[in-house]
Amino acid sequence: MRYRLLETVAEYAAARLDEADGERATAERRHLVHYRELARAADPLLRGPGQRAALALFQREYENFRTALRRAVAARDEQETLYLVLTLSWYWQMRDLRLEARHWAGQAAALGPDPFAPPVAPAPPVFERFTDAPPPLSDEQLGEARRGVALLCMIFMDHDAVEWDSEENLARLRGVTETYRPGLPQTCRSPGTLWFFSLLMTGDMETLRVMLDETVRACRVYGYEWELAAALQARARILVSRGRWAGDAAQDADEALAAFTRLGDDWGVAEALSARGEARERRGEYASAAADFSAAIGYAERIGAQVQMDVLRARHGGVLLELGDAERGEALLREALAEHEAVPNECTAVARIYLALWLGRSGRQEEARDQIQLLLSQFQMHTLALFEGMVMGYLAWLDTIDGRFDDALDQAWGALDRALGSLSSMVAPDLSVMQLVIVAGALAGARPERAPDAARLLAAADVHWPPGHFATAFERRVREDSEALARSALGDDAYAAAYADGGGLTLEEAAALGGAV
């Protein structure tokens, strides 16, 4: 049982402490050291069989950790602040405490120089973990600790307020990519692993794939068991978005699942099951995907990971809709949304996408439109322009269903333009193809004289789906609707002739054709 002092008693004790010469500073220093050491000892336990006990400890003692952080920052003690931030960072990620992570990482970063300011120097290999020993840090460890905190700032910053495509921010991202190289020991561990974000945001898919492969290889070489499981799970998540690699993603997820199970990491098991479920979903193996998501929910529930659990519920609900279990699928999506109605997050985004597409397919366009407008307000940020474009495409599809063809065409052109960006092409290579299909339907409806171009766009889209892509129910529905509009305007023979002309178009040529006025 935890006893708390009444506020008046605490104030009296603080006043008496002030009266004792030098004792306040000594007591506060002892408190800071005690809780820094407690965090340092407990952090590794978050990755194994002691995970639930460690989570309970961090939650129970969190106000003491925050007090220690405040004192370290107030004293401008950079190393103590770095230790506390870095040892709390995984707890923040597990509990989705983004505002806390953003605030304290920013406070720590402000105490030292910017490690990614030009001119940047390549990071040397750092084998020692921050939790291996108490302060002081060696020069190499201090440099890596500063880089780790800077990476946390980058991941947890207020993305609504950042224009990542500005020259200043692109230069900073390039600074990160020039500092690190694949295979360093510190990039196998968190927060060093977060440097992948800079590769993602600069659209460097070739280096990103090398980085993922080299991280897995390096973890094997260095004997990092937990880090290997995490690297496999991360690689699976990236590969799953590229259809021809979905099989590789499932293999990675299987190996990660076995490792996390062996290590007793329930969080990791849930994440690995989720990654495998996504891979199976991408291949159309919906029953197996549903089983994975259902099992993952159980593991997340065991450790009280509410946000993780609700994201998994949303994914499970989406797969149930693909299986035709509409009642259960829709109920799960609405439950997930109800849990996070006040604060939009990853869970609300996933759930709204699945729900909106289902509502549109089941004749409830106005409610679907309401959900998509909520999504659009969540995604209207520079960092997530690809998601904004995706949502604009959904609105164009709904406008097409409702016969608002001019509105649909305007939205579809904007969606296609965003989908052709380098980041969109890397993260979601099928998005530009889907937008071509939506443009085709809107074009055939709004400009019947350009129905031959709509047929050509459909032919080009059929050719340019990524290898191994399995069409979802939504994608099949949009394809059928767009073809029906083009055929209605042309007739079957003219449609077939125009369709035959489009198969040889490159993606860029098709996009130019679709956007031509």
Side-chain angles (χ1 to χ4, degrees):
M1 180 179 292
R2 173 57 58 92
Y3 294 95
R4 296 183 181 275
L5 286 175
L6 290 173
E7 186 176 348
T8 52
V9 175
E11 289 173 355
Y12 172 77
R16 294 299 303 271
L17 191 60
D18 284 337
E19 294 170 5
D21 269 353
E23 288 195 23
R24 171 179 278 277
T26 300
E28 288 182 351
R29 176 65 187 170
R30 286 175 177 168
H31 178 277
L32 190 158
V33 170
H34 173 79
Y35 281 97
R36 175 247 293 158
E37 286 300 289
L38 184 61
R40 191 170 70 84
D43 173 57
L45 303 180
L46 292 172
R47 299 165 180 82
Q51 186 175 75
R52 274 180 279 179
L55 284 167
L57 183 149
F58 275 106
Q59 184 170 342
R60 185 175 63 249
E61 300 290 352
Y62 192 64
E63 283 308 310
N64 278 308
F65 290 130
R66 294 181 87 225
T67 298
L69 273 165
R70 281 195 296 271
R71 287 173 176 159
V73 170
R76 299 197 62 78
D77 191 328
E78 183 190 11
Q79 293 210 17
E80 291 289 4
T81 308
L82 289 170
Y83 261 89
L84 284 162
V85 167
L86 292 168
T87 51
L88 286 165
S89 63
W90 190 242
Y91 172 72
W92 287 331
Q93 291 180 69
M94 292 181 73
R95 286 296 191 235
D96 200 44
L97 299 173
R98 295 172 181 269
L99 292 178
E100 284 287 286
R102 181 190 308 165
H103 173 73
W104 293 115
Q107 293 287 310
L111 295 176
D114 182 352
F116 298 121
V120 296
V126 179
F127 287 90
E128 299 85 357
R129 301 168 190 266
F130 300 119
T131 54
D132 286 348
L137 293 162
S138 68
D139 288 345
E140 285 188 350
Q141 286 180 309
L142 179 58
E144 190 55 43
R146 287 168 172 164
R147 287 188 287 271
V149 162
L151 290 172
L152 289 171
C153 288
M154 187 170 64
I155 291 295
F156 289 114
M157 70 170 50
D158 181 2
H159 292 288
D160 291 14
V162 177
E163 296 183 38
W164 279 112
D165 55 358
S166 73
E167 187 50 44
E168 179 184 354
N169 284 317
L170 287 174
R172 182 170 178 77
L173 290 168
R174 286 192 291 268
V176 177
T177 64
E178 291 166 8
T179 299
Y180 287 116
R181 63 185 184 276
L184 289 171
Q186 66 264 40
T187 60
C188 295
R189 305 187 296 263
S190 182
T193 52
L194 300 177
W195 83 286
F196 87 92
F197 182 79
S198 62
L199 298 172
L200 191 68
M201 296 305 294
T202 53
D204 190 349
M205 185 60 192
E206 183 177 342
T207 305
L208 180 61
R209 180 64 201 260
V210 170
M211 175 263 187
L212 293 167
D213 293 345
E214 276 298 297
T215 301
V216 168
R217 184 200 64 79
C219 287
R220 297 190 196 278
V221 170
Y222 299 138
Y224 296 164
E225 190 173 12
W226 186 90
E227 289 78 5
L228 173 60
L232 287 163
Q233 183 267 328
R235 187 168 70 176
R237 277 274 160 74
I238 298 294
L239 296 184
V240 78
S241 66
R242 314 187 80 80
R244 61 191 172 123
W245 290 338
D248 296 338
Q251 290 175 16
D252 279 352
D254 279 336
E255 187 177 352
L257 176 60
F260 281 131
T261 302
R262 187 168 57 251
L263 292 164
D265 184 340
D266 287 347
W267 168 274
V269 169
E271 288 295 296
L273 282 166
S274 176
R276 190 173 70 180
E278 289 179 51
R280 287 173 164 173
E281 182 182 3
R282 284 279 180 167
R283 297 190 312 215
E285 300 169 5
Y286 295 122
S288 297
D292 280 339
F293 290 132
S294 179
I297 290 167
Y299 280 96
E301 192 169 17
R302 284 167 62 174
I303 58 171
Q306 188 64 48
V307 174
Q308 184 190 36
M309 190 163 46
D310 289 328
V311 170
L312 291 165
R313 281 200 182 114
R315 294 199 176 279
H316 189 204
V319 169
L320 290 177
L321 292 178
E322 294 286 347
L323 285 168
D325 191 346
E327 184 176 349
R328 284 180 62 211
E330 185 172 332
L332 278 174
L333 295 175
R334 293 189 184 278
E335 285 172 17
L337 286 171
E339 286 286 344
H340 302 275
E341 187 174 3
V343 183
N345 55 23
E346 180 188 358
C347 169
T348 59
V350 173
R352 286 195 202 287
I353 289 171
Y354 282 125
L355 181 60
L357 299 188
W358 165 242
L359 291 170
R361 288 193 291 121
S362 56
R364 291 172 282 175
Q365 286 95 300
E366 283 310 307
E367 190 180 355
R369 198 180 300 278
D370 291 342
Q371 293 293 336
I372 289 174
Q373 289 293 352
L374 289 169
L375 267 176
L376 196 57
S377 65
Q378 184 173 346
F379 287 152
Q380 277 180 335
M381 54 187 74
H382 293 279
T383 310
L384 298 175
L386 75 156
F387 298 117
E388 183 186 355
M390 176 181 67
V391 176
M392 289 173 68
Y394 297 156
L395 282 173
W397 169 60
L398 289 175
D399 284 340
T400 301
I401 292 175
D402 291 340
R404 304 172 185 170
F405 297 122
D406 287 330
D407 291 341
L409 191 55
D410 286 342
Q411 292 274 18
W413 279 337
L416 178 59
D417 181 62
R418 286 164 173 76
L420 292 170
S422 60
L423 178 59
S424 297
S425 298
M426 183 172 75
V427 175
D430 54 349
L431 187 57
S432 56
V433 184
M434 187 69 246
Q435 304 299 8
L436 278 180
V437 177
I438 293 172
V439 167
L443 189 64
R447 310 279 194 275
E449 72 279 5
R450 294 196 58 201
D453 288 339
R456 295 181 185 104
L457 292 179
L458 291 173
D462 290 345
V463 169
H464 288 291
W465 283 111
H469 178 80
F470 186 92
T472 64
F474 164 71
E475 290 166 347
R476 294 193 299 271
R477 165 68 185 273
V478 177
R479 176 66 177 75
E480 291 165 5
D481 288 351
S482 294
E483 180 175 333
L485 285 165
R487 283 187 182 275
S488 176
L490 290 170
D492 290 343
D493 291 342
Y495 173 85
Y499 182 88
D501 289 341
L505 294 172
T506 66
L507 190 59
E508 293 73 20
E509 289 169 340
L513 178 66
V517 179

